[in-house]
Amino acid sequence: MDPSFAAAMSSIFETAGAFYRSKCLHLAVKHRVPDLIAAGSLTADEIAAASGTRAQELRRVLRFLVQVGFFTEDADGKFANNANSTLLQRSHPASLAPLLLHWVGEVMPATVALDETLISGGSAFERAFGEPIFDWYTKHPENEKNFSLVMSGANALTLQGVLATRDWASDGATKYVDVGGNRGSLLQGLLTANPQASGVLFDLPSVVEIARREEAAFQPSGALHSRVEFVGGDFFSAVPAGDVYLLRMILHDWSDEDSIRILKTVRKAIGPTGTVYLVEQEVYGTGQIQDDPMHSLSIDITMLSVFGSARERTRDEFASIFKASGFELKSVTRFSPTFAFWVAVPV
């Protein structure tokens, strides 16, 4: 067989069958297999007994996952974690379990409806689930809580890069407003780095309440309790007053038109010397080679599936929506192959 033909055929088979990997891994995480074997290896029978699953079927799933790089199996049929599956333990400080549950449990079913999106536009998620994702979350609190963990995990992964972009202790900010800040992990990091500033965590009322109730730093005995105000609301209508506005991976959820609406809401609230800090991925322009295409461009397909008109953007596209909202893009600092720290000021 021609080597190039064999390679092409193998690539097609692997890509077409990639959903098996995703779904089997989702099953393992959903039934907490990485956590059940955290203390030591177990047989499929033992894992099944602890997880409420059927041993024969579970063994087939785990056997497949071993072959694609997750878990190990010894000669006695006992399964153990490897470096990949360890990252899927719920207790791991950098756990990717919430992301996997979100992607495979919510985004993957939406992609099944992408056919109509490609023809008619609109949200594949809405076609699959019957309503917009944030409306759906209000009726599925456990999923909403998991999504909050996804966003907090993303914040943790980007926070060190953001902190390295400037000397936050001399940033000059007096009040940060974290717009759509979820559980406030980005705000916590900036307030810790800038002891002189206070902050406002602004998000949907249900999300803000979770942060207020569960984040240790915000508790009465927490280090940031007296420096943070919690405000629930709608960023299309109004945002609280402050001098620095933080938007971390907010605009990629929305179309250009809606992103401009959000930024115009911020523009109404911000003072003449205020600043907007954006944390978003930067997609390279036409003809440029993407450093990390599988991450930023797969997220772009996620945006297409869930929201339809939402997207990752190029630098020129960000500059355009800032200009249309009454801001000027002043600087862009890349701190990873795809993530950047964007600074804009009112004009």
Side-chain angles (χ1 to χ4, degrees):
M1 183 181 293
D2 183 295
S4 62
F5 177 81
M9 187 168 64
S10 176
S11 179
I12 291 168
F13 279 138
E14 184 175 345
T15 302
F19 71 93
Y20 290 122
R21 300 186 185 200
S22 302
K23 187 57 188 178
C24 286
L25 199 56
H26 177 259
L27 290 170
V29 172
K30 180 179 179 180
H31 294 288
R32 298 180 178 270
V33 174
D35 301 282
L36 292 173
I37 59 177
S41 60
L42 297 173
T43 65
D45 286 342
E46 291 169 327
I47 299 170
S51 62
T53 57
R54 289 167 57 93
Q56 183 184 50
E57 287 82 353
L58 178 65
R59 184 181 185 281
R60 292 167 69 181
V61 168
L62 294 180
R63 180 179 61 187
F64 172 75
L65 288 173
V66 168
Q67 293 303 309
V68 297
F70 293 88
F71 308 109
T72 62
E73 183 183 13
D74 65 17
D76 296 322
K78 290 189 173 184
F79 294 92
N81 281 314
N82 61 7
N84 290 341
S85 60
T86 296
L87 265 179
L88 294 169
Q89 293 173 2
R90 310 291 179 97
S91 60
H92 194 286
S95 176
L96 293 179
L99 178 65
L100 180 78
L101 293 171
H102 167 63
W103 268 358
V104 183
E106 296 160 20
V107 178
M108 196 165 83
T111 64
V112 176
L114 267 177
D115 303 66
E116 186 60 31
T117 294
L118 203 61
I119 303 299
S120 307
S123 165
F125 183 94
E126 290 183 33
R127 291 189 177 95
F129 288 82
E131 59 187 332
I133 190 168
F134 293 120
D135 293 344
W136 185 80
Y137 277 148
T138 63
K139 301 169 186 175
H140 298 83
E142 285 303 309
N143 296 81
E144 181 179 52
K145 183 176 180 179
N146 183 72
F147 182 69
S148 292
L149 293 174
V150 172
M151 298 310 296
S152 294
N155 264 342
L157 290 173
T158 58
L159 180 58
Q160 292 306 312
V162 171
L163 292 177
T165 61
R166 61 186 53 227
D167 180 4
W168 291 95
S170 58
D171 184 53
T174 59
K175 181 182 282 189
Y176 297 114
V177 180
D178 195 354
V179 179
N182 201 262
R183 296 170 70 112
S185 55
L186 177 60
L187 182 62
Q188 291 180 49
L190 297 191
L191 290 178
T192 301
N194 183 356
Q196 307 306 314
S198 63
V200 179
L201 181 61
F202 179 77
D203 210 313
L204 295 172
S206 58
V207 176
V208 168
E209 183 55 34
I210 290 173
R212 186 208 304 267
R213 186 175 63 246
E214 298 188 8
E215 290 295 314
F218 297 150
Q219 302 306 305
S221 60
L224 302 177
H225 175 71
S226 64
R227 297 168 58 196
V228 177
E229 179 184 359
F230 300 88
V231 179
D234 175 6
F235 51 42
F236 286 111
S237 301
V239 295
D243 57 330
V244 174
Y245 287 80
L246 313 169
L247 292 90
R248 197 211 71 87
M249 293 191 74
I250 300 299
L251 299 186
H252 82 149
D253 286 344
W254 303 96
S255 67
D256 289 348
E257 293 76 16
D258 284 336
S259 294
I260 290 169
R261 287 177 59 203
I262 295 168
L263 288 172
K264 282 186 173 180
T265 304
V266 174
R267 184 66 183 85
K268 290 179 182 178
I270 200 170
T273 61
T275 309
V276 172
Y277 293 153
L278 211 65
V279 181
E280 292 273 0
Q281 296 189 95
E282 179 185 6
V283 177
Y284 287 148
T286 303
Q288 294 178 297
I289 301 299
Q290 191 80 16
D291 289 350
D292 186 13
M294 283 308 294
H295 185 72
S296 62
L297 298 182
S298 64
I299 296 296
D300 188 53
I301 298 300
T302 298
M303 296 299 101
L304 177 65
S305 303
V306 175
F307 300 106
S309 55
R311 66 193 64 203
E312 304 301 327
R313 294 179 172 89
T314 67
R315 189 169 304 199
D316 287 345
E317 289 169 337
F318 272 118
S320 177
I321 62 174
F322 273 126
K323 183 178 180 180
S325 310
F327 291 96
E328 179 185 0
L329 179 60
K330 299 296 290 185
S331 67
V332 182
T333 304
R334 294 288 288 268
F335 59 83
S336 83
T338 59
F339 272 101
F341 181 75
W342 312 70
V343 179
V345 296
V347 293

